[in-house]
């Protein structure tokens, strides 16, 4: 089964004014799609050709000879997850189980926000900031480039993409403003709650 580009869960202009249709045109239409195309080319004719995305990521993680496959496959997975972490009219304080878990793990929603935004702002170069479930505890972590919690057996619940192509057309070099907007206006807490399930 070839790896496919999943449809976006909303129209390309649905996250405006926070993330423009122009950004999604490039980010989803060009970058995400290129990772899909490259992954398929790289696994063609190998023993990974019939594996699903998560299996490809786990089998190639940490293997320098398969870095190209890992980087592209992990970026397909990370982006597919990232789109679901946002919704029009999202953001703000969560409700449901995730709200209780955040209070228990971080002391307050505000403390979580501070840690999450700090992880995104201090990720040097390209990468991702995550809210994850590790050893049954909520944690904020960051990964560089294409790295992903699933390569380390950690369950992701939320991510924000801090590669420049995720925000540069709308925010230029103002990554902290993009992170604040993501938290206040875009997070899809229903999706995060569904990941806890």
């Amino acid at each position: 089964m070839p790896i496919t580009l999943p449809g976006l869960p909303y129209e390309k202009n649905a996250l405006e004014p926070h993330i423009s249709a122009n950004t999604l045109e490039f980010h989803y239409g060009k970058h995400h799609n290129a990772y899909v195309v490259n992954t398929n080319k790289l696994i063609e004719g190998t023993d990974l050709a019939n594996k699903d995305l998560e299996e490809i990521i786990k089998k190639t993680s940490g293997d320098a000879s398969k870095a190209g496959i890992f980087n592209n496959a992990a970026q397909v997975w990370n982006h597919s997850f990232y789109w679901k972490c946002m919704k029009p009219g999202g953001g703000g304080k969560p409700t449901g189980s995730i709200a209780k878990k955040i209070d228990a793990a971080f002391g307050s929603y505000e403390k979580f926000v501070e840690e999450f935004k700090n992880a995104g702002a201090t990720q040097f170069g390209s990468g991702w900031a995550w809210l994850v479930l590790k050893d049954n505890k909520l944690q904020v972590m960051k990964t560089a480039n294409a790295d992903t919690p699933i390569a380390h057996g950690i369950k992701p619940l939320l991510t924000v993409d801090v590669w420049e192509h995720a925000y540069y057309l709308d925010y230029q070099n103002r990554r902290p403003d993009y992170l604040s907007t993501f938290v206040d206006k875009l997070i899809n807490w229903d999706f995060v709650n569904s990941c806890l399930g």
Side-chain angles (χ1 to χ4, degrees), residues 15 18 85-93 181-189:
L15 303 179
H18 313 301
C85 290
M86 298 183 286
K87 70 173 187 179
K93 281 192 169 184
T181 301
F182 179 86
V183 168
D184 297 340
K185 308 285 188 188
L186 292 169
I187 293 177
N188 181 351
W189 289 114

Side-chain angles (χ1 to χ4, degrees), residues 35-115:
Y35 296 130
V36 171
V37 170
N38 291 338
T39 301
N40 283 314
K41 272 188 199 150
L42 290 164
I43 62 172
E44 198 178 332
T46 73
D47 59 345
L48 298 170
N50 296 315
K51 307 280 188 245
D52 69 29
L53 205 48
E54 289 197 28
E55 208 173 338
I56 293 168
I57 291 165
K58 287 170 185 165
K59 282 187 182 300
T60 57
S61 173
D63 181 342
S65 71
K66 295 195 168 73
I69 297 174
F70 174 81
N71 287 336
N72 282 280
Q75 283 291 77
V76 173
W77 195 94
N78 289 350
H79 280 87
S80 302
F81 189 79
Y82 168 66
W83 307 130
K84 294 179 201 161
C85 290
M86 298 183 286
K87 70 173 187 179
K93 281 192 169 184
T95 53
S97 348
I98 193 64
K100 294 186 194 79
K101 281 193 178 297
I102 282 174
D103 285 343
F106 299 96
S108 68
Y109 168 72
E110 290 71 23
K111 188 73 184 115
F112 154 71
V113 166
E114 189 185 316
E115 276 194 44

Side-chain angles (χ1 to χ4, degrees), residues 99-178:
K100 294 186 194 79
K101 281 193 178 297
I102 282 174
D103 285 343
F106 299 96
S108 68
Y109 168 72
E110 290 71 23
K111 188 73 184 115
F112 154 71
V113 166
E114 189 185 316
E115 276 194 44
F116 186 73
K117 291 200 300 195
N118 187 52
T122 59
Q123 169 52 42
F124 184 75
S126 299
W128 303 81
W130 306 84
L131 174 65
V132 299
L133 197 55
K134 184 183 181 188
D135 304 325
N136 218 23
K137 287 197 190 85
L138 287 193
Q139 252 179 260
V140 165
M141 69 182 282
K142 54 188 176 179
T143 58
N145 300 317
D147 199 12
T148 178
I150 63 167
H152 309 282
I154 299 169
K155 185 179 178 61
L157 303 173
L158 172 70
T159 195
V160 61
D161 186 345
V162 294
W163 284 62
E164 283 192 338
H165 61 236
Y167 61 88
Y168 211 84
L169 293 176
D170 298 323
Y171 297 88
Q172 282 75 50
N173 60 339
R174 301 188 321 275
R175 188 191 283 185
D177 292 353
Y178 158 67

